[in-house]
Amino acid sequence: MDILEFLSNFPPTEKWFFIGVRWLGPDLSFFKALKQIQSGRSIADMSQWGGGERQILAEKISQILHKQLGWRSAIFVPQDVATVAFYGPSFGIIDADIAFDDMVEMLRKDYSMNPTISFWESMENSTLGQLIDGLLALR
């Protein structure tokens, strides 16, 4: 199964770049591939979470990502890169902060969790599976 991950040259780190102009900036066509990968998944793929609390939390976060960021489905797998899932399926989406805020609010309300900034920083390069396992370890 294909996972959601950015290309090695995205996001761009150069000071000057031209968005979407392939010979002057990063090629953004991979967003289409990300959408196809994610929308091609079935509900059976959610079984990779293994059931229990892990899967329940994964489903809640997946619903937020789907609703707020416009992913075509709410199907994410543990191997998906968390920053890709939270970035969204298109370049420059402005709702990424809203999705993160909604997740933090859900964690506070449903799990009485308020992860610290250092926790979020430690998860910067994590997969969704690592993020969810880290969150559950805080309980």
Side-chain angles (χ1 to χ4, degrees), residues 46-80:
M46 289 300 283
S47 67
Q48 292 182 42
W49 290 100
E53 295 243 350
R54 187 177 196 236
Q55 185 159 342
I56 291 168
L57 182 55
E59 288 173 355
K60 287 180 179 188
I61 290 173
S62 295
Q63 284 295 327
I64 291 168
L65 296 173
H66 168 61
K67 178 182 172 191
Q68 294 295 355
L69 298 179
W71 287 105
R72 292 183 178 160
S73 76
I75 311 295
F76 293 90
V77 295
Q79 301 84 4
D80 287 336

Side-chain angles (χ1 to χ4, degrees), residues 20-112:
V21 181
R22 290 180 189 195
W23 60 92
L24 294 176
D27 179 4
L28 302 178
S29 63
F30 71 91
F31 278 107
K32 183 177 181 181
L34 290 176
K35 289 178 198 175
Q36 289 174 335
I37 290 168
Q38 201 268 339
S39 67
R41 294 176 176 171
S42 73
I43 193 71
D45 293 323
M46 289 300 283
S47 67
Q48 292 182 42
W49 290 100
E53 295 243 350
R54 187 177 196 236
Q55 185 159 342
I56 291 168
L57 182 55
E59 288 173 355
K60 287 180 179 188
I61 290 173
S62 295
Q63 284 295 327
I64 291 168
L65 296 173
H66 168 61
K67 178 182 172 191
Q68 294 295 355
L69 298 179
W71 287 105
R72 292 183 178 160
S73 76
I75 311 295
F76 293 90
V77 295
Q79 301 84 4
D80 287 336
V81 175
T83 53
V84 176
F86 278 91
Y87 189 91
S90 58
F91 180 76
I93 195 159
I94 59 172
D95 293 331
D97 288 341
I98 295 171
F100 182 78
D101 291 346
D102 283 358
M103 179 190 63
V104 169
E105 179 62 20
M106 178 274 297
L107 292 171
R108 187 192 62 72
K109 186 172 143 189
D110 295 357
Y111 293 90
S112 299

